[in-house]
Amino acid sequence: MAKLYIICIDDQREVLNTVVKDLESFENFFVIEACESAIEAWELIEEIDDEGDQLALVVSDHVMPDKSGVQFLTELYEDGRFALTRKILLTGLATHKDTITAINKAKIDTYIEKPWKKEQLIGDVKKMLTFFVLEAGLNYEKYIDALDQQTLLGELRKKV
Amino acid sequence: MELVKQQWLRHQFFSDPDKVIKLKKGDVLLEENAFNRRLYHINYGVIKGLLCDSNEPEEEVFQSSQNTFVGVLSFFSDSNLSYAKLVAMEESEVSYVESKEEVIEKGGYQVFFEYFVPIIVNELLIRQMYAHNMANEKKMALQKLMETSNLATLGQLAAGLAHELNNAIGVIQRKTEWFAENISKYLQEQNHDGMYSFYLKGVERGHTISTSEIRGLRKNLEKTFHIDSSVSQKFARAGLGIDELIPFKKNLSAMADRISYFYDMGAALHDMTISSRHVESVVKSVKQLGTSNYSMEQEVNLNNTLNESISILKRILTNIELELDLQYFPNIQASHSGLVQVWVNIIKNAAESMLSQPQITARLMISSKLVRNKIKVEICDNGPGISPEILPEIFRPNFTTKVGGLSFGLGLGLSIVQKIIHSHNGEIEVASKPGCTTFRITLPFKPYPISDDK
């Protein structure tokens, strides 16, 4: 069975580890991977794609050396293979211009400001995963503990 | 035409050998408000006009040089009072006519006037331009002063902010230490069947291995112990190798949660310590913009400050070829932390610029030597270079090429560097072209005084 991945990207290890730690409750349903750069993330994404697995969610920092988060998320959006992948930008510093690009070009789904609150991060991740699971046509009952119940109910009602 | 008139005037009115005054530098030809009926022609030299207000320093209002006239206003006006003090700026010589009457006697006032008016108009224009330039210079100086005072305000603000942040971060640091100590003591007492060692590993190691190394390790552990990837993931994240896990190999899957729990506890404390230190150093660099609180009296081995900076930047320098040529010279009197900060800033910039072009082997050369009572330090990288347009800007505060806020990115680095070097009475220069950027720092060689009783 195809595995579902969540990838977290941040160039600062302490921050990256904290994000991963905050998301550990999702590990029962998803594989959580940590990457220190966008380039590393791309390598991993290619591997995931080769294995026939799916990328459910990316949580990315913006300000990173070599390639910025917005740049990376734009590439991901333009790639086409990951149309269903949900994208969260988690950043302490993005200029007005960066933010506009993030929305218009990278089509990010959620923007979270650093320092973040664990509950908020988990809540947003749950919502994003709910959209992903439904849009990917997966059996949501299997993932129910990792999903946002209200969003799920709302979306299901729309379908009826 | 002008010259012909001038020569005629000079010949006609200013050729009396008895009416010549020679002036040395600083000699006063005429005091302000003095009675004057003479008109002076400058044969050679330069004479300046000063306005003296008892409350203000003397203000220069014009400078006149060879073949021009001074004493013009008092000569032509009815009051015959000099409005400015006339002082020779260098060795000068003037010829003069005694009064209007003498002019009439010598060739007629009418003729004199005809020739003199264009010259005097020209003279007025020159003086007006002079006044205009002076005003302009003052405006510029005032602007600069405003900028500096803005900076000073920024500095005060920074210092205030730094103080507050330091208090807060100080508390967090101390409490983190306290927690680490007490958790450590507690766990040691309880022991938890060998779990204490994993906690300690977390404290010591934190997250020193990269995420790609973690993935490699995970695959390795999976193969070696035939365990599930979610289990090996936990060990890999903790950076626990095969050797460390062998003692537990019988029930690794059951132990995974516990081991990573204790490791994570230690690692969390490690991260808290690292992060609060990070805040501390950011605060320090902001604070140093506002003040110059370096102790310059320290005995400093300059080459040690270079080596120390290199070891601080070890992580960023891993993929860079380093060439060191540090020559021996005696210890100097300087600020140790100040110099370390200078090198760290320059080396870090160099490393970051070189790493932006991964296809080229990054090479950094650092040399120090003593040449004729001057210490010369050169830091040279083969990065893409600084473009000529931004080169003059790099020492300006608030100037940064770093997008967003990567590793501080406050744009204060090089302005602080320059400030520290200047406080050592040194100089900093930069020359840059693609593939070769060199920062040259020259410091006066100031040996640390050796006490007499030794």
Side-chain angles (χ1 to χ4, degrees), chain B residues 2 44-45 70 87 106 125 127 136 173 215 217 222 241 256 261 272 292 294 300 361 369 426 437:
Chain B
E2 290 292 321
Y44 60 81
V70 288
V87 181
K106 274 194 174 157
L125 182 72
R127 288 192 192 184
N136 229 353
Q173 269 179 338
R215 268 191 288 284
L217 185 57
E222 263 178 68
Y261 173 73
M272 286 159 79
S292 49
Y294 302 101
V300 175
T361 313
K369 59 185 175 215
T437 299

Side-chain angles (χ1 to χ4, degrees), chain B residues 270-286:
Chain B
H270 176 92
D271 285 355
M272 286 159 79
T273 313
I274 295 276
S275 298
S276 59
R277 248 184 244 154
H278 186 75
V279 175
E280 197 187 338
S281 73
V282 173
V283 168
K284 205 182 266 173
S285 70
V286 172

Side-chain angles (χ1 to χ4, degrees), chain B residues 200-336:
Chain B
L200 273 191
K201 276 183 185 128
V203 173
E204 281 162 20
R205 203 175 321 177
H207 301 279
T208 47
I209 61 169
S210 71
T211 44
S212 57
E213 283 168 330
I214 290 175
R215 268 191 288 284
L217 185 57
R218 188 184 73 196
K219 284 176 190 156
N220 215 346
L221 292 173
E222 263 178 68
K223 259 189 257 156
T224 315
F225 295 114
H226 307 288
I227 45 176
D228 198 59
S229 75
S230 66
V231 175
S232 62
Q233 171 90 321
K234 291 200 169 82
F235 294 130
R237 260 183 214 155
L240 297 169
I242 294 168
D243 296 345
E244 287 160 291
L245 294 173
I246 279 179
F248 302 91
K249 92 176 182 212
K250 276 183 196 146
N251 53 349
L252 272 180
S253 301
M255 297 291 278
D257 279 341
R258 257 171 89 69
I259 289 176
S260 74
Y261 173 73
F262 281 94
Y263 181 88
D264 282 353
M265 207 189 310
L269 287 163
H270 176 92
D271 285 355
M272 286 159 79
T273 313
I274 295 276
S275 298
S276 59
R277 248 184 244 154
H278 186 75
V279 175
E280 197 187 338
S281 73
V282 173
V283 168
K284 205 182 266 173
S285 70
V286 172
K287 202 169 153 191
Q288 270 157 3
L289 182 76
T291 54
S292 49
N293 57 346
Y294 302 101
S295 159
M296 306 290 291
E297 324 280 79
Q298 291 166 302
E299 179 175 4
V300 175
N301 179 328
L302 187 122
N303 289 337
N304 278 357
T305 62
L306 283 165
N307 283 320
E308 200 176 300
S309 313
I310 292 164
S311 74
I312 288 173
L313 296 169
K314 208 159 58 191
R315 197 179 126 189
I316 196 171
L317 293 174
T318 24
N319 294 319
I320 292 171
E321 273 181 31
L322 200 58
E323 243 174 73
L324 288 181
D325 175 18
L326 310 180
Q327 295 181 6
Y328 171 81
F329 44 84
N331 289 353
I332 55 167
Q333 194 174 334
S335 158
H336 184 92

Side-chain angles (χ1 to χ4, degrees), chain A residues 5-7 45 54-59 72-73 76-77 80-88 106-109 128 132 135-136:
Chain A
Y5 279 83
I6 298 173
I7 296 182
I45 289 170
Q54 278 187 291
L55 180 57
L57 174 71
V58 175
V59 181
F72 165 75
L73 293 174
L76 193 70
Y77 170 74
R81 284 176 291 171
F82 310 98
L84 297 179
T85 303
R86 290 282 160 166
K87 299 179 282 290
I88 295 180
K107 309 280 182 198
I108 60 155
D109 299 289
M128 292 302 113
F132 174 81
E135 279 167 27

Side-chain angles (χ1 to χ4, degrees), chain B residues 365-391:
Chain B
M365 281 166 286
I366 302 175
S367 68
S368 68
K369 59 185 175 215
L370 180 65
V371 188
R372 271 175 266 113
N373 255 351
K374 296 238 188 279
I375 295 169
K376 290 188 188 278
V377 177
E378 281 193 13
I379 298 171
C380 180
D381 70 69
N382 66 347
I386 306 165
S387 75
E389 299 92 70
I390 65 167
L391 197 60

Side-chain angles (χ1 to χ4, degrees), chain B residues 47-241:
Chain B
I47 289 173
K48 63 180 171 183
L50 296 171
L51 288 186
C52 315
D53 183 323
S54 54
N55 297 322
E56 306 276 333
E58 289 180 340
E59 191 189 359
E60 194 175 305
V61 282
F62 63 83
Q63 275 184 23
S64 298
S65 49
Q66 190 175 28
N67 289 334
T68 58
F69 299 87
V70 288
V72 180
L73 186 78
S74 44
F75 174 81
F76 285 106
S77 76
D78 293 333
S79 70
N80 294 116
L81 289 179
S82 166
Y83 81 102
K85 176 173 158 182
L86 301 179
V87 181
M89 291 182 75
E90 55 189 60
E91 209 172 281
S92 310
E93 186 192 88
V94 294
S95 303
Y96 61 90
V97 285
E98 196 59 59
S99 62
K100 283 179 202 160
E101 288 73 30
E102 190 190 317
V103 172
I104 295 162
E105 205 177 282
K106 274 194 174 157
Y109 202 47
Q110 202 62 39
V111 186
F112 174 72
F113 237 143
E114 208 174 289
Y115 283 94
F116 201 78
V117 166
I119 291 170
I120 211 73
V121 168
N122 190 42
E123 179 74 21
L124 283 174
L125 182 72
I126 290 170
R127 288 192 192 184
Q128 192 180 358
M129 287 309 288
Y130 181 83
H132 173 77
N133 287 344
M134 291 292 274
N136 229 353
E137 256 172 50
K138 268 192 193 145
K139 203 169 100 189
M140 302 285 277
L142 198 67
Q143 236 169 35
K144 214 167 173 183
L145 193 71
M146 292 278 283
E147 273 168 33
T148 335
S149 82
N150 276 346
L151 253 183
T153 325
L154 179 72
Q156 282 165 3
L157 188 73
L161 194 66
H163 176 75
E164 292 300 319
L165 287 176
N166 267 341
N167 280 345
I169 204 65
V171 172
I172 293 172
Q173 269 179 338
R174 293 296 83 72
K175 299 295 176 193
T176 308
E177 270 170 34
W178 182 85
F179 251 117
E181 260 170 49
N182 284 277
I183 290 175
S184 177
K185 232 186 268 169
Y186 176 75
L187 291 179
Q188 208 171 1
E189 280 162 18
Q190 305 285 313
N191 194 19
H192 292 285
D193 36 85
M195 290 296 127
Y196 176 62
S197 68
F198 292 109
Y199 162 80
L200 273 191
K201 276 183 185 128
V203 173
E204 281 162 20
R205 203 175 321 177
H207 301 279
T208 47
I209 61 169
S210 71
T211 44
S212 57
E213 283 168 330
I214 290 175
R215 268 191 288 284
L217 185 57
R218 188 184 73 196
K219 284 176 190 156
N220 215 346
L221 292 173
E222 263 178 68
K223 259 189 257 156
T224 315
F225 295 114
H226 307 288
I227 45 176
D228 198 59
S229 75
S230 66
V231 175
S232 62
Q233 171 90 321
K234 291 200 169 82
F235 294 130
R237 260 183 214 155
L240 297 169

Side-chain angles (χ1 to χ4, degrees), chain B residues 350-362:
Chain B
E352 277 166 2
S353 83
M354 288 191 289
L355 294 175
S356 70
Q357 38 178 29
Q359 67 282 9
I360 293 167
T361 313

